[in-house]
Amino acid sequence: MIGDGFLERFRREGRIVVVGASLAGLRAAETLRDKGFAGSLTMIGDEPHEPYDRPPLSKQVLLGRATADRTALPRRRSVDATWRLGVPATGLDMAARRVRLGDGDEVPYDRLLIATGVRARPWPREEEAELDGVFVLRTRDDGAALARRLAEGPKRVLVIGAGFTGSEIASACRERGLAVTVAERGAAPLVGALGGVVGAVAAELQREHGVDLRCGVMVTALEGDASGRVRAAHLSDGSTVEAEVVIVSLGATRNTEWLAGSGLGAGPRGIACDAGCRAFDFRGIVTDDIYAAGDVARCPHPLFGYQFLSLEHWGNAVSQAGIAAHNMLSESTDRLPHMEVPAFWSSQFGVNIKSVGVPSLGTQVLITQGSLEEHRFIAVYGYQGRVIGAVAFDNARWLPFYQELIERTAPFPPQFPTVDRRAEGQRPVDAGFPDPSVPSHGPTVTLSGYSPADRRMTFTPAH
Amino acid sequence: MTPSLLHQILDFANRADPYPIYEELRKTPVHHEGDGPYVVSTYYEVRSLLHDPRISSDARNLASTTGDPLTETAPEEGVLPPSFLRLDPPEHDRLRRMTNRSFGPPHCPHRVDGMRGELHGIVSGLIGDIGDTGRIDLVDQFAYPFPVTVICRLLGVPREDEARFHVWADTIAASLDPDPDADPTERGRSAHDARMQLGMYLAGLIEERRRKPGDDMLSELATAKGPDGTMATMELLSTAALLLIAGHETTVNLVTNGMLTLLRNPDVLERLRADPRLAVPVVEELLRFEPPVQLVPQRTTLTDVEVRGVTIPKGASLWLVLASGNRDPQRFENPDRFDPDRKDIQHLGFGSGIHSCFGAPLARLEARLALSELARRLENPRLLEDPPPYRQNAVLRGPRHLHIACDGIRP
Ligand SMILES: Cc1cc2nc3c(=O)[nH]c(=O)nc-3n(C[C@H](O)[C@H](O)[C@H](O)COP(=O)(O)OP(=O)(O)OC[C@H]3O[C@@H](n4cnc5c(N)ncnc54)[C@H](O)[C@@H]3O)c2cc1C
Ligand code: HEM
């Protein structure tokens, strides 16, 4: 197939199918056209909407500053694609190069991009999850429904899980003047992503803004009233919280079930791919016609010893989409590796939080600028004597410098003076990450070893 | 022997076109002569130093000022404490944050946009007053008065006092632009006097606004009670003076360099005339191509810092040559071409990092309005002199006069 002129013909009249019509899928499609792909392009998405942006859903949308249906992703160019929206892909036949759809159709491809992302992990007990007033937040429809309910002025909102999304939701509720309780299993909000030292600041922020924050507890049950509306939650410390709205924010599950039995290296931890976004099959052999990008992908990263890294980050989805699209159209020697340093932002309780690198890999942390007490600082994370991540609270303009330190694998702790170094910035302390084997809301960055196969994945032949 | 690059930058003979010197300079990304400053001229190095927390803007961290021809001759700030331009965090951040509460989002999202109609009125007025279209000095008749009037309106200076404000602003601006033939002590004295008078005037105005606040920026700055408290009167004076000085010559140069560049690129001028929306990319490309602030001379190292194999010692004086970074071929394709259609114009014209231009939203609006209105209203405009005479100043570089003619003024 790599014969003479294959690529040229493929660029001219090949067939590319993209499954997952969201951020990564759209940006990949745009890049393909930018790079001169003139063949047919099919976009398959199970949501009925054209690609839209998710970060505003937990921010502007909940504040009522934007409505959920006004969050369409800006188009960088026209993609001239066949859109199959509102229909899921249900299977993949790698040998015949076909994607099966929920409506029975089959779509053939020469090259396939999988960008099916993740979905919100639901409340585990189904009958409680179905109570009216119990929400998750991942999609535009979730955002619209939740925003509507918040606008009705519920007496109290309960957020289960204080990761980034849960914390942003709590922040929006407080800004709307709603009473909020946050229940978090860990010792502090954001503890899985940023550790206990910085998590303590996040806890202070929540309490200063009037959140009833309860850490070290689990919600054990949700209780409904006679009409099927949620009315209360029971906590592991024996207490009860009465709430009219409950938002379950317990992290995400990768959308890979539809690939079960296909032979692709896909499982609960995502789709393993090489540094060029080419997917592995379940035997650990890299395919050349299937690519993955965005939240669903796990890619080896040179800065982190080529361990597979999964990122639920907006910027990562965009950059992997670009790399995958480029590589689909390139000779093997022209392909590019995905090497971008992970970066993530969040805004909550009036603070702009931004991180670079992988803080959750750090064992120690040093406050190099500003102070924890003022909630304005830069925390640098160290791992085995090198700088591995940095987090800024209201100080993002310095981060490019720290990103360079990460890229250069600069020694930790950094020995040099900086502007605004305080007494607390003299010595690193334990970063305070929880035991990674204890599940939490998820750090949004996960390292998952060297095996392209998923530990928990078994291969079941298609029947 | 050819004169040193440093002196060539400062040499008035090169003012009209310093870009070949910058090209020479970029061959040694960190250039150092004798006991002079370390001059950094390549895009990526300039940008990364602007984000480097080992670099200070506070003159008190300089080991010495001898050897640096720019900091040596810097005019006395007078009795006022340093403004946030010359401070490091946390003081810089606190003052900038407090100032921003009365200027930009999130607390004041409409301040700049709310001035759109007023700016339009000022521009229309200045164009309407042009008179003889056979010989227009765009600097004296348009670019100079424009930003001072804008800052007056922003701060809330009463209309009847604006004329006095213009006189002080001009005197201070002239002192930033040493005329080699004038008596330096005399010039120093009049600038000092102007600063004193401006300071006293502002102090009086602040008192008045504290008693009877309006909805102008000075009133809000004087009365705000945010999480950082209220600004001390001396801090407020420094800040108001900073807004005036930082927003004056810079905007003059942007408008003047803009018109000069447009007249040298008549196809772009014609497109702008037909479609005022082109002003957005035109102004961005101008900030890359002819940046009003050519270099930032006020940085120093808190420790030894290595850049491209050169160790810059602690306490050294740094020049970050924004205008050279903007023409770095490693960063911009065809850097010497004026091309508002470029896809990515991430210029250094407003600096970068925590000191990046505070007034940028206002400066952009001023320049877009000024250039699109000039393009729309001047009929068949042309340069009478190219290159025009420049001001002395190598840092805030721009024409002293820009003589043009046109066939008439459209309504
Ligand atoms: C509320 C919220 C706030 C966020 N805030 C931030 C933030 O502040 N900063 C940040 O960096 N990131 C943030 N993120 C994360 C960011 O939005 C994601 O990283 C990004 O959306 C990933 O894009 P993606 O295209 O890989 O996946 P997704 O956006 O998840 O898209 C995958 C698409 O594929 C569809 N799909 C799944 N299975 C199938 C199938 N079998 N067939 C067809 N279609 C399928 C899905 O329905 C979905 O439309 C936030 C996310 C949420 C939900
Ligand atoms: C075209 C016009 C302008 C240009 C090119 C320009 C350029 C710049 C540059 C390069 C800096 C960075 C200095 C440094 O890093 O040390 C700066 C800072 C600053 N500018 Fe501007 N400026 C312009 C207009 C304005 C206006 C209109 C205002 C005021 C309303 C203003 C206010 C400031 C202030 C207050 C700072 C200091 C910011 C800080 O230190 O945090 N500028 N400007």
Side-chain angles (χ1 to χ4, degrees):
Chain A
M1 130 177 155
I2 308 293
D4 274 349
F6 164 79
L7 257 183
E8 212 175 291
R9 208 174 61 245
F10 169 69
R11 286 163 149 273
R12 211 170 47 237
E13 56 198 39
R15 297 164 300 180
I16 294 181
V17 171
V18 177
V19 183
S22 178
L23 180 62
L26 176 66
R27 292 296 178 244
E30 289 169 341
T31 310
L32 287 168
R33 292 299 190 207
D34 259 351
K35 294 193 181 276
F37 175 67
S40 79
L41 191 53
T42 307
M43 307 286 294
I44 299 166
D46 61 0
E47 294 187 75
H49 313 292
E50 295 219 348
Y52 61 86
D53 208 16
R54 296 180 203 277
L57 296 179
S58 52
K59 306 175 180 80
Q60 295 89 329
V61 169
L62 295 189
L63 289 172
R65 293 207 192 114
T67 55
D69 59 351
R70 298 294 294 279
T71 54
L73 278 166
R75 297 296 182 91
R76 294 184 181 163
R77 55 161 299 137
S78 86
V79 294
D80 185 22
T82 306
W83 294 83
R84 304 288 304 261
L85 296 178
V87 44
T90 52
L92 170 66
D93 185 336
M94 286 172 62
R97 293 212 182 91
R98 282 167 176 280
V99 175
R100 265 192 306 281
L101 300 190
D103 61 6
D105 248 6
E106 297 207 351
V107 186
Y109 64 83
D110 297 312
R111 285 197 173 159
L112 171 68
L113 175 68
I114 302 176
T116 44
V118 303
R119 64 182 180 277
R121 190 174 290 147
W123 184 243
R125 300 196 207 180
E126 222 171 291
E127 66 284 14
E128 294 176 12
E130 276 164 16
L131 289 169
D132 183 29
V134 177
F135 293 87
V136 293
L137 182 55
R138 178 77 198 173
T139 66
R140 170 183 278 185
D141 297 345
D142 296 338
L146 180 56
R148 220 176 301 121
R149 193 58 72 88
L150 295 183
E152 287 167 11
K155 285 205 202 69
R156 178 166 292 276
V157 176
L158 169 66
V159 179
I160 307 177
F164 283 108
T165 307
S167 300
E168 287 182 2
I169 295 169
S171 167
C173 289
R174 287 306 301 142
E175 213 172 319
R176 300 191 70 139
L178 300 172
V180 185
T181 297
V182 171
E184 162 61 40
R185 179 207 291 249
L190 311 183
V191 69
L194 305 181
V197 174
V198 175
V201 178
E204 253 173 54
L205 275 174
Q206 297 217 357
R207 294 200 166 108
E208 276 170 19
H209 283 81
V211 173
D212 166 30
L213 174 66
R214 319 232 187 142
C215 294
V217 296
M218 285 186 297
V219 173
T220 51
L222 301 178
E223 187 190 317
D225 63 15
S227 62
R229 290 183 77 124
V230 68
R231 57 164 297 273
H234 300 282
L235 273 53
S236 57
D237 61 2
S239 61
T240 301
V241 175
E242 291 189 9
E244 292 175 9
V245 172
V246 173
I247 301 145
V248 179
S249 192
L250 293 173
T253 307
R254 264 115 196 114
N255 290 320
T256 52
E257 291 80 356
W258 67 282
L259 295 163
S262 67
L264 203 66
R269 293 187 302 174
I271 300 172
C273 45
D274 72 0
C277 297
R278 291 184 301 176
F280 285 105
D281 71 12
F282 79 103
R283 302 165 302 175
I285 298 176
V286 76
T287 62
D288 204 35
D289 48 1
I290 304 180
Y291 291 72
D295 285 6
V296 78
R298 346 169 12 226
C299 266
H301 201 295
L303 278 177
F304 308 101
Y306 287 94
Q307 279 199 63
F308 284 103
L309 193 60
S310 326
L311 297 161
E312 292 170 47
H313 294 176
W314 196 94
N316 176 67
V318 173
S319 79
Q320 282 185 339
I323 295 285
H326 171 89
N327 290 347
M328 276 182 158
L329 301 178
S330 302
E331 299 285 1
S332 55
T333 48
D334 297 331
R335 290 189 181 138
L336 297 172
H338 171 67
M339 302 216 295
E340 209 166 88
V341 175
F344 180 85
W345 83 95
S346 167
S347 58
Q348 45 182 283
F349 305 105
V351 174
N352 171 329
I353 301 176
K354 202 167 169 195
S355 92
V356 290
V358 184
S360 57
L361 207 60
T363 49
Q364 290 196 303
V365 65
L366 177 70
I367 308 305
T368 56
Q369 293 178 243
S371 100
L372 294 169
E373 197 187 313
E374 290 167 21
H375 305 164
R376 267 189 287 268
F377 58 86
I378 291 190
V380 178
Y381 293 77
Y383 172 70
Q384 297 188 341
R386 53 177 275 216
V387 175
I388 199 90
V391 170
F393 272 45
D394 272 350
N395 247 313
R397 289 185 175 202
W398 297 110
L399 276 185
F401 172 77
Y402 293 95
Q403 178 171 332
E404 266 181 57
L405 294 186
I406 297 165
E407 284 165 349
R408 286 209 318 263
T409 64
F412 181 92
Q415 297 292 354
F416 46 79
T418 50
V419 292
D420 205 11
R421 182 72 69 94
R422 313 286 179 91
E424 62 196 285
Q426 303 308 319
R427 204 166 295 112
V429 295
D430 189 291
F433 281 101
D435 179 349
S437 64
V438 178
S440 75
H441 42 73
T444 74
V445 183
T446 322
L447 281 160
S448 52
Y450 296 95
S451 166
D454 203 305
R455 255 182 301 133
R456 287 170 290 177
M457 185 185 72
T458 47
F459 178 57
T460 36
H463 29 251
Chain B
M1 195 185 111
T2 49
S4 77
L5 283 170
L6 209 62
H7 287 97
Q8 289 185 51
I9 296 177
L10 299 175
D11 185 352
F12 184 61
N14 294 318
R15 201 65 72 244
D17 185 12
Y19 298 102
I21 306 168
Y22 298 154
E23 187 178 340
E24 197 55 36
L25 202 55
R26 283 193 299 271
K27 292 182 182 158
T28 346
V30 183
H31 179 89
H32 183 227
E33 296 168 18
D35 61 351
Y38 286 76
V39 182
V40 184
S41 54
T42 41
Y43 181 90
Y44 292 105
E45 281 65 32
V46 170
R47 193 184 59 178
S48 99
L49 287 170
L50 286 168
H51 293 271
D52 194 324
R54 298 168 300 174
I55 308 295
S56 163
S57 284
D58 190 331
R60 288 167 290 195
N61 290 315
L62 271 173
S64 103
T65 54
T66 57
D68 184 333
L70 284 176
T71 35
E72 251 173 0
T73 60
E76 252 310 300
E77 288 265 339
V79 284
L80 293 179
S83 66
F84 62 82
L85 174 69
R86 301 308 310 270
L87 289 171
D88 290 337
E91 284 302 278
H92 164 275
D93 295 5
R94 178 179 63 87
L95 289 168
R96 182 164 170 146
R97 210 160 49 226
M98 290 170 88
T99 312
N100 193 55
R101 271 183 86 86
S102 347
F103 182 72
H107 296 283
C108 218
H110 305 299
R111 168 82 63 203
V112 170
D113 205 55
M115 290 183 73
R116 187 180 289 271
E118 193 156 13
L119 294 190
H120 200 275
I122 301 170
V123 168
S124 301
L126 288 168
I127 297 179
D129 287 346
I130 278 179
D132 175 13
T133 55
R135 190 174 171 86
I136 306 167
D137 181 358
L138 205 74
V139 176
D140 283 347
Q141 291 177 258
F142 185 86
Y144 237 80
F146 178 42
V148 181
T149 310
V150 173
I151 295 288
C152 284
R153 304 284 164 86
L154 177 73
L155 291 177
V157 174
R159 296 290 162 100
E160 61 272 22
D161 296 343
E162 276 184 13
R164 292 158 73 197
F165 220 83
H166 279 264
V167 174
W168 295 322
D170 287 354
T171 314
I172 294 170
S175 76
L176 300 174
D177 185 33
D179 171 357
D181 300 330
D183 172 7
T185 39
E186 177 53 35
R187 193 183 56 237
R189 188 167 329 112
S190 57
H192 184 79
D193 289 351
R195 276 169 198 274
M196 286 295 283
Q197 287 170 14
L198 175 69
M200 277 163 44
Y201 173 81
L202 284 171
L205 194 59
I206 290 165
E207 259 328 290
E208 217 173 293
R209 295 296 188 246
R210 283 225 167 98
R211 276 198 312 270
K212 235 178 69 205
D215 59 2
D216 54 88
M217 189 167 164
L218 205 58
S219 296
E220 282 190 25
L221 281 174
T223 56
K225 279 200 185 52
D228 294 298
T230 310
M231 253 193 224
T233 300
M234 289 304 266
E235 293 173 338
L236 188 46
L237 279 173
S238 285
T239 304
L242 171 65
L243 292 176
L244 174 70
I245 293 165
H248 184 202
E249 204 102 350
T250 47
T251 311
V252 175
N253 290 343
L254 184 56
V255 171
T256 320
N257 292 339
M259 219 33 212
L260 176 62
T261 306
L262 287 170
L263 288 165
R264 286 172 175 169
N265 295 268
D267 51 321
V268 181
L269 180 60
E270 184 48 37
R271 280 174 60 198
L272 177 61
R273 200 181 71 76
D275 180 6
R277 284 172 308 179
L278 193 66
V280 174
V282 160
V283 167
E284 290 317 297
E285 174 69 347
L286 275 171
L287 285 160
R288 184 193 73 80
F289 188 74
E290 287 276 30
V293 180
Q294 296 267 298
L295 62 100
V296 177
Q298 46 215 19
R299 289 291 195 283
T300 182
T301 36
L302 293 177
T303 178
D304 292 1
V305 171
E306 204 204 290
V307 180
R308 292 279 285 260
V310 177
T311 301
I312 306 174
K314 175 178 174 176
S317 168
L318 282 180
W319 287 8
L320 306 178
V321 190
L322 308 176
S324 170
N326 281 351
R327 298 276 190 125
D328 187 343
Q330 301 281 347
R331 176 62 183 80
F332 297 104
E333 252 174 69
N334 282 326
D336 295 324
R337 221 184 118 212
F338 176 70
D339 176 12
D341 299 323
R342 281 174 198 279
K343 283 274 175 304
D344 116 86
I345 317 184
Q346 283 247 14
H347 59 76
L348 300 170
F350 282 134
S352 192
I354 61 161
H355 291 281
S356 77
C357 182
F358 175 85
L362 179 61
R364 286 192 163 106
L365 185 63
E366 289 180 80
R368 287 170 193 165
L369 266 174
L371 293 176
S372 57
E373 278 300 283
L374 287 169
R376 186 177 71 79
R377 296 193 56 194
L378 303 188
E379 233 171 278
N380 188 25
R382 52 209 178 263
L383 282 172
L384 294 180
E385 211 177 352
D386 191 8
Y390 275 78
R391 266 194 297 275
Q392 284 291 331
N393 202 322
V395 177
L396 304 179
R397 169 182 162 268
R400 175 62 193 89
H401 300 285
L402 186 66
H403 289 117
I404 64 170
C406 63
D407 296 343
I409 310 265
R410 293 191 192 86

